[in-house]
Amino acid sequence: MQSAASASDRRRSGARLWASPRSRGLAALALVVALAPLGLVNDYLYDIAILVGLNAIVCVGLNLLIGYAGQISLGHAGFFGLGAYGSALLCAHYGVPPLAALALATAAVSLLAFAVGRPILRLKGHYLAMATLGMGVIVSIVLANEDRVTGGPDGMPVPPLTVFGHALQGEQAWYWLVGACLIVVVWLALNLIDSPAGRALRALHGSEVAAEVVGIDSARRKLEVFVLSAVFAALAGGLTAFYSGFVTPAKASFLHSVELVTMVVFGGMASTFGAVVGAAVLTILPQALTVVKEYEMVVLGAVMMATMIFFPRGAVPTIEAWLRRRRP
């Protein structure tokens, strides 16, 4: 009887788990990734889908930092660029296998984020924004000026990514790799959000003083999420370098950092799936607006302004709230 009762409890627990919005959202994301190739009729569309996935990986991590922990960062493209250049340099100059180079570069970026995050995360508001901006600018300048190592403004070639001795070639193969990485990253983010650490991050966003009163180590939690978001950015940067076969300092530019933050805000802060949607829309939209040629940036700016006016919380949270109001 006890075993039957425990089995019934496990079934009810599993049913509740899959009934949660986050589980349904993850299943929907996996379904979209699985079915999207039906509409990708050429390599150009596959290329856009891959760029969407790579940007979404960065935005999911950045959303944990900005949306949940309430810590602004205007230098995350620096971690993206370091992941790209670290992977490229280890392969091209030291003969490290690509997968090992990607792992080592990501680990090195995590250590750098840990060292940098300890002092700058003591700052708040616009002081923190300026500090992260300065960090990103330093990385961009170093990558552009150390031409003997990085190739300077012209960039450097990157060897192909090899998996078990076979080079990963073709847009379709890269699509499935990036899609799998995106699903894993979203799953990790959702699990973090539902954990005690995630609840601590939301408490920090509400009030650091109140969070510390109930025993939350705010400095430790902020540093942990800062390092995790840097790891996601470095991973995406390394994959981007191997996919494109070339890397330039533009990957670490301030403009790229602003683009990443804009994707998070557009999709909806404190919404993991909003970060994915924001990355998708703002990656696809500039490609679609090429038909208007010189007015491309004007139209893009107008679309973003309208979104912020009519969807102040971001696209996904606003749509979710509207659907809840209409539900009987």
Side-chain angles (χ1 to χ4, degrees):
M1 291 293 292
Q2 291 180 349
S3 60
S6 61
S8 177
D9 291 341
R10 286 195 297 269
R11 284 195 296 270
R12 284 196 295 268
S13 177
R16 286 194 299 269
L17 175 64
W18 284 104
S20 68
R22 289 194 175 100
S23 298
R24 294 197 301 269
L26 184 62
L29 176 62
L31 186 63
V32 169
V33 171
L35 297 181
L38 297 176
L40 304 177
V41 296
N42 53 47
D43 288 345
Y44 172 70
L45 295 179
Y46 268 105
D47 180 66
I48 295 176
I50 292 167
L51 294 179
V52 167
L54 293 169
N55 285 333
I57 290 173
V58 187
C59 290
V60 168
L62 191 57
N63 181 59
L64 291 174
L65 180 66
I66 299 177
Y68 286 97
Q71 308 300 308
I72 186 67
S73 174
L74 296 178
H76 250 57
F79 297 131
F80 185 94
L82 288 174
Y85 270 96
S87 301
L89 291 171
L90 288 172
C91 285
H93 292 182
Y94 300 100
V96 178
L99 284 179
L102 179 61
L104 289 173
T106 303
V109 169
S110 70
L111 293 176
L112 176 64
F114 180 83
V116 171
R118 287 179 66 88
I120 68 174
L121 288 174
R122 297 175 183 174
L123 304 173
K124 294 179 176 63
H126 57 279
Y127 298 106
L128 176 61
M130 291 298 294
T132 56
L133 170 61
M135 177 201 67
V137 169
I138 290 172
V139 171
S140 179
I141 292 175
V142 170
L143 293 178
N145 290 340
E146 292 296 327
D147 52 348
R148 289 178 296 179
V149 179
T150 65
D154 295 332
M156 63 176 292
V158 184
L161 179 66
T162 56
V163 181
F164 303 115
H166 298 283
L168 193 68
Q169 296 179 341
E171 276 72 12
Q172 293 187 22
W174 271 99
Y175 171 83
W176 291 115
L177 174 63
V178 173
C181 290
L182 174 60
I183 292 172
V184 171
V185 165
V186 170
W187 176 76
L188 290 173
L190 293 176
N191 277 274
L192 173 64
I193 293 164
D194 286 334
S195 69
R199 291 190 287 273
L201 293 179
R202 291 196 293 273
L204 286 175
H205 196 178
S207 170
E208 283 192 29
V209 175
E212 290 179 350
V213 167
V214 297
I216 295 174
D217 188 344
S218 61
R220 175 189 171 189
R221 294 303 182 187
K222 288 191 293 185
L223 184 59
E224 288 174 349
V225 73
F226 184 75
V227 171
L228 181 61
S229 64
V231 166
F232 287 169
L235 173 64
L239 290 174
T240 301
F242 286 121
Y243 169 64
S244 62
F246 202 83
V247 60
T248 67
K251 299 294 184 183
S253 66
F254 168 66
L255 180 59
H256 191 198
S257 290
V258 172
E259 290 173 348
L260 295 172
V261 174
T262 305
M263 290 175 183
V264 173
V265 176
F266 180 91
M269 292 191 294
S271 171
T272 300
F273 297 108
V276 177
V277 170
V281 172
L282 293 185
T283 302
I284 296 172
L285 191 58
Q287 306 297 327
L289 292 177
T290 54
V291 295
V292 296
K293 297 182 180 178
E294 63 267 18
Y295 296 103
E296 173 188 346
M297 297 308 296
V298 176
V299 176
L300 179 61
V303 170
M304 293 175 61
M305 289 174 59
T307 303
M308 291 298 99
I309 292 172
F310 296 105
F311 301 96
R313 295 174 53 197
V316 171
T318 304
I319 293 173
E320 286 179 344
W322 180 76
L323 292 175
R324 281 197 297 268
R325 286 196 299 269
R326 291 182 60 87
R327 187 178 302 161

